[in-house]
């Protein structure tokens, strides 16, 4: 079944959001837009910083609660845009604009679905949350608002997945690794070269393989992504700084990998944060099984989302394609939004969530 009125409202709201710059940590105006959109539906939103949410008017603590979530912030536009990233341009079925795909399409679709579902009593409560600072995993994003919400039993996150359920997601840990040496004059061969001291650790980071491989996420992987060393050509460097990007599957907690590397590497190792863990929902969860019954195919996502900060079961399901995110001339198709709305309603209307 198609829902043309819901699609039209979703697209108009998305155009308004595209025209409202909302780079991470600067989402105030976009949050204002979302507040007004919710009020226009006859509902009363709540707000914490730039996070905006609305709770099912018939909320009953005896029922389980489903969270519908998507983020309002965007990355900064890259220099290779050939269009104005803040000017929504529709050409046929295609709508161009920064944040249209990541994840404006999911954001506006889920709001319309929320409004439709609460018109009749469901076997669960609903909460819709438009969260901030997702792209930077900021402290004033979803982690600031989750403690203010009622108990959540399961969440759907509207990231672009081609409307296929991403039931597992890799975690992220960023490490600062420092090899120490001793400075000296390069011509005299004095000192201890910190770059050479780092080489053994670089080899370990390149070649080590963690044994436990996930069915949906594959292996835990490490990549050295930044190296800084030296001050000038004739001084032996006494410090070599490396940044290591670690993507964990569900078998390895960030803290475990950190402690493991501290023992294995000669260099000094510091973790910027442990908070962005891998997430996974049981394939036997009623919502996942319902997705499969509808012909969808569960998969594992290598990209990070606010799921990493959720302590309850969750999965990603949204219109658009992850491959379009963060690139120039970002777009989403109107037909993808239309399909998302009808799919969400078919998935959720009258469904028991556990």
């Amino acid at each position: 079944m198609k829902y043309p009125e819901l699609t039209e409202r979703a697209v108009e709201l998305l155009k308004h959001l595209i025209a409202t710059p909302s780079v991470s940590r600067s989402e105030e105006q976009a949050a204002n837009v979302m507040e007004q959109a919710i009020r226009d539906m006859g509902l009363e939103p709540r707000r914490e910083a730039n996070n905006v949410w609305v709770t099912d008017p018939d909320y009953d603590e005896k029922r389980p609660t489903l969270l519908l979530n998507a983020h309002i912030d965007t990355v900064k536009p890259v220099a290779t845009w050939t269009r104005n990233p803040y000017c929504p341009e529709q050409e046929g079925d295609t709508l161009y604009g920064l944040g249209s795909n990541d994840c404006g399409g999911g954001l506006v679709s889920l709001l319309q679905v929320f409004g439709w579902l609460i018109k009749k009593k469901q076997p669960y409560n609903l909460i819709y949350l438009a969260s901030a600072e997702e792209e930077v995993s900021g402290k004033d994003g979803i982690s600031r608002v989750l403690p203010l919400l009622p108990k959540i039993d399961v969440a759907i996150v509207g990231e672009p997945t081609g409307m296929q359920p991403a039931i597992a997601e890799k975690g992220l840990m960023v490490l600062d690794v420092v090899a120490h040496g001793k400075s000296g004059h390069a011509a005299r061969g004095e000192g201890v070269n910190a770059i050479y001291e780092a080489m053994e650790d670089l080899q370990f980071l390149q070649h080590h393989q963690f044994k436990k491989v996930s069915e949906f996420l594959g292996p835990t992987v490490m990549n050295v992504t930044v190296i800084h060393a030296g001050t000038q050509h004739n001084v032996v460097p006494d410090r070599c700084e490396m940044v290591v990007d670690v993507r964990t599957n569900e078998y390895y907690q960030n803290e475990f990998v950190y402690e493991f590397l501290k023992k294995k590497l000669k260099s000094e190792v510091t973790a910027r944060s442990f908070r962005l863990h891998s997430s996974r929902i049981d394939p036997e969860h009623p919502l996942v099984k319902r997705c499969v019954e509808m012909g969808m195919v569960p998969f594992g996502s290598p990209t990070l989302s606010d799921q990493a900060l959720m302590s309850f079961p969750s999965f990603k399901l949204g219109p658009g394609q992850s491959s379009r995110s963060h690139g120039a001339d970002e777009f989403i198709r109107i037909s993808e939004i239309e399909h998302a709305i009808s799919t969400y309603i078919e998935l959720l209307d009258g469904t028991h969530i556990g």
Side-chain angles (χ1 to χ4, degrees):
M1 183 180 295
K2 295 182 178 180
Y3 300 86
E5 289 187 7
L6 300 186
T7 301
E8 182 179 352
R9 289 183 210 143
V11 172
E12 287 307 306
L13 176 57
L14 181 52
K15 289 178 179 178
H16 194 175
L17 288 166
I18 291 170
T20 307
S22 56
V23 173
S24 302
R25 298 193 175 97
S26 299
E27 312 99 333
E28 181 178 0
Q29 295 305 313
N32 292 343
V33 170
M34 293 306 300
E35 273 196 280
Q36 188 58 52
I38 292 171
R39 287 196 177 94
D40 289 345
M41 298 169 68
L43 301 168
E44 188 57 42
R46 293 186 61 189
R47 180 167 176 170
E48 176 69 20
N50 291 325
N51 304 280
V52 179
W53 75 97
V54 60
T55 302
D56 185 344
D58 292 325
Y59 178 85
D60 181 351
E61 63 180 13
K62 296 178 182 179
R63 292 185 295 176
T65 298
L66 168 64
L67 175 67
L68 304 179
N69 167 244
H71 64 88
I72 62 175
D73 61 316
T74 72
V75 295
K76 294 179 180 179
V78 295
T80 50
W81 272 81
T82 65
R83 304 164 180 269
N84 181 344
Y86 300 113
C87 180
E89 294 184 40
Q90 185 175 343
E91 295 180 2
D93 188 42
T94 304
L95 176 61
Y96 293 93
L98 182 63
S100 57
N101 180 78
D102 183 16
C103 68
L107 182 73
V108 298
S109 297
L110 285 172
L111 178 58
Q112 296 305 317
V113 169
F114 174 89
W116 192 93
L117 289 172
I118 62 172
K119 289 180 179 178
K120 61 178 181 178
K121 190 166 184 176
Q122 302 291 343
Y124 52 82
N125 301 305
L126 272 167
I127 298 175
Y128 171 84
L129 168 63
S131 51
E133 298 193 5
E134 188 273 347
E135 296 290 2
V136 294
S137 300
K139 62 181 179 61
D140 289 325
I142 197 169
S143 59
R144 177 166 170 171
V145 70
L146 284 178
L148 305 178
L149 301 182
K151 177 181 177 293
I152 306 296
D153 293 275
V154 64
I156 295 176
V157 180
E159 293 282 341
T161 67
M163 288 309 290
Q164 300 297 324
I167 67 170
E169 177 183 272
K170 278 196 171 179
L172 168 65
M173 178 173 60
V174 180
L175 301 175
D176 291 299
V177 179
V178 181
H180 296 280
K182 182 179 180 182
S183 62
H185 199 300
R188 298 169 61 88
E190 295 172 341
V192 178
N193 194 315
I195 296 175
Y196 299 156
E197 290 295 297
M199 289 175 68
E200 184 178 336
D201 287 346
L202 287 169
Q203 288 288 319
F204 181 85
L205 291 166
Q206 179 183 4
H207 296 294
H208 179 75
Q209 295 182 348
F210 291 93
K211 292 181 180 179
K212 297 178 181 179
V213 178
S214 167
E215 175 187 0
F216 288 102
L217 297 175
T220 290
V221 295
M222 301 182 291
N223 278 291
V224 179
T225 54
V226 180
I227 295 181
H228 292 298
T231 56
Q232 58 191 63
H233 77 90
N234 57 354
V235 178
V236 172
D238 62 357
R239 184 180 177 91
C240 180
E241 302 173 350
M242 299 161 278
V243 176
V244 184
D245 181 290
V246 182
R247 304 284 172 159
T248 48
N249 63 25
E250 69 269 30
Y251 296 121
Y252 295 96
Q253 291 287 94
N254 290 335
E255 292 87 346
F256 171 85
V257 176
Y258 169 73
E259 293 296 336
F260 171 76
L261 291 177
K262 281 185 66 176
K263 293 176 182 177
K264 290 292 183 180
L265 302 183
K266 293 194 304 180
S267 302
E268 174 188 344
V269 182
T270 305
R272 296 182 185 178
S273 171
F274 297 119
R275 63 200 283 260
L276 303 176
H277 289 291
S278 173
S279 58
R280 183 177 184 273
I281 189 172
D282 189 339
E284 295 300 309
H285 189 281
L287 284 180
V288 178
K289 292 176 72 174
R290 176 66 179 146
C291 285
V292 173
E293 290 171 2
M294 291 170 59
M296 291 180 256
V297 180
F299 72 102
S301 172
T303 58
L304 195 71
S305 77
D306 276 339
Q307 276 186 280
L309 300 170
M310 296 178 180
S311 60
F312 39 83
S314 61
F315 63 100
K316 292 191 290 199
L317 181 69
Q321 298 292 337
S322 180
S323 58
R324 299 178 200 153
S325 301
H326 302 184
D329 299 338
E330 181 183 351
F331 69 90
I332 195 164
R333 303 195 191 283
I334 308 303
S335 57
E336 291 174 326
I337 293 175
E338 180 180 56
H339 173 67
I341 290 172
S342 61
T343 300
Y344 285 137
I345 291 175
E346 183 180 354
L347 170 65
L348 298 174
D349 187 23
T351 302
H352 289 269
I353 66 171

